[in-house]
Amino acid sequence: MKGMLTVTGVLAAVMLAAPAPTAAAQEAADPVLAHADIAITLEDSGEDRVRATYRLSEPTTAPVPVRLLVAPRAGTEVTELSAVSGITGIGPVRGIRADATLPAGTTEYTVEQRIRRTGEARGVPLAIPDIAADRSLRVAIAVTLPEGQRLVGDSMPVFEQQHQDGDRMVLRHDTRSLPSTVVAEYGTTSSASLGTVASYTGLVLIVGVVALWLVTSLRKERPRA
């Protein structure tokens, strides 16, 4: 009987201790990023706005501290970083990071940035979360240019889709990776781009060559008097 009591006591101790590692594992689970939707509005004044919504692959099971990383960019400054929804305790940007917290049960959160650009700076740094990304990560980026402007120079990433929103051009890009900086060099729509000038020049040259060939052919075929 004494031996049986000893074994029963050991089994009871194991059963009582078993749930503890599971709970600890849930608390320690890191969030995984599944989708990002980023909207950037550029202004001629250089006072830009970024609103980014991030969706997690699974809801958080406990409050999770998270770092938002902001890459330094010459001529730009993040003047404000604030929580819109689903994230709390966003601190000021110190160096390249800001600390925040994702509450338990978070599946999606939105942050907003205010950016100040100076001079000819066109790059906009994004406050991206320092968390793992899902293999099927989807990132949608939309950049609204200032009124009457269009893309005339370098861009990062490459924007493939464009449409007009009133007097403002909207650039779009879908990707599988989250960039730390978005660049869109814009200019006035009133001046012809180098590509447009080259196209018209080439067309004029082609028309001239064809016209010269026709004139020469007609002269050769004309009967002599």
Side-chain angles (χ1 to χ4, degrees):
M1 179 66 68
K2 186 180 294 185
M4 292 178 62
L5 290 175
T6 302
V7 173
T8 303
V10 171
L11 290 175
V14 171
M15 292 177 64
L16 289 173
T22 304
Q26 290 179 347
E27 291 178 1
D30 294 328
V32 177
L33 182 63
H35 183 84
D37 194 352
I38 300 169
I40 302 171
T41 303
L42 303 179
E43 302 291 351
D44 261 339
S45 63
E47 301 289 335
D48 305 327
R49 185 176 71 255
V50 179
R51 177 170 286 211
T53 298
Y54 299 101
R55 189 176 306 125
L56 306 179
S57 58
E58 297 289 343
T60 56
T61 56
V64 179
V66 62
R67 292 180 299 178
L68 304 177
L69 303 180
V70 182
R73 180 83 182 179
T76 62
E77 177 189 2
V78 178
T79 58
E80 183 181 342
L81 178 59
S82 58
V84 177
S85 62
I87 189 171
T88 61
I90 295 183
V93 179
R94 292 189 175 93
I96 64 170
R97 57 176 285 183
D99 295 323
T101 300
L102 299 179
T106 298
T107 57
E108 183 178 287
Y109 67 94
T110 301
V111 297
E112 186 170 275
Q113 297 171 243
R114 298 286 178 166
I115 308 289
R116 180 180 295 120
R117 286 183 292 110
T118 60
E120 297 299 317
R122 292 292 182 264
V124 175
L126 305 180
I128 60 175
D130 185 21
I131 62 177
D134 191 86
R135 290 183 178 180
S136 58
L137 173 66
R138 297 285 182 180
V139 178
I141 302 172
V143 179
T144 301
L145 300 182
E147 184 175 343
Q149 304 294 302
R150 64 184 179 83
L151 190 65
V152 297
D154 294 335
S155 67
M156 184 178 68
V158 177
F159 295 97
E160 298 178 351
Q161 303 179 40
Q162 302 181 6
H163 75 273
Q164 204 78 19
D165 183 11
D167 293 330
R168 306 189 72 160
M169 180 73 74
V170 179
L171 313 176
R172 296 190 180 277
H173 181 82
D174 294 321
T175 182
R176 302 293 292 272
S177 59
L178 187 60
S180 60
T181 303
V182 171
V183 177
E185 294 188 3
Y186 58 82
T188 178
T189 57
S190 61
S191 60
S193 66
L194 181 61
T196 303
V197 172
S199 298
Y200 280 116
T201 302
L203 181 60
V204 170
L205 289 174
I206 292 173
V207 172
V209 170
V210 172
L212 180 61
W213 176 81
L214 287 174
V215 171
T216 304
S217 298
L218 290 174
R219 285 180 177 177
K220 288 181 178 180
E221 293 178 0
R222 183 180 302 169
R224 295 182 179 179

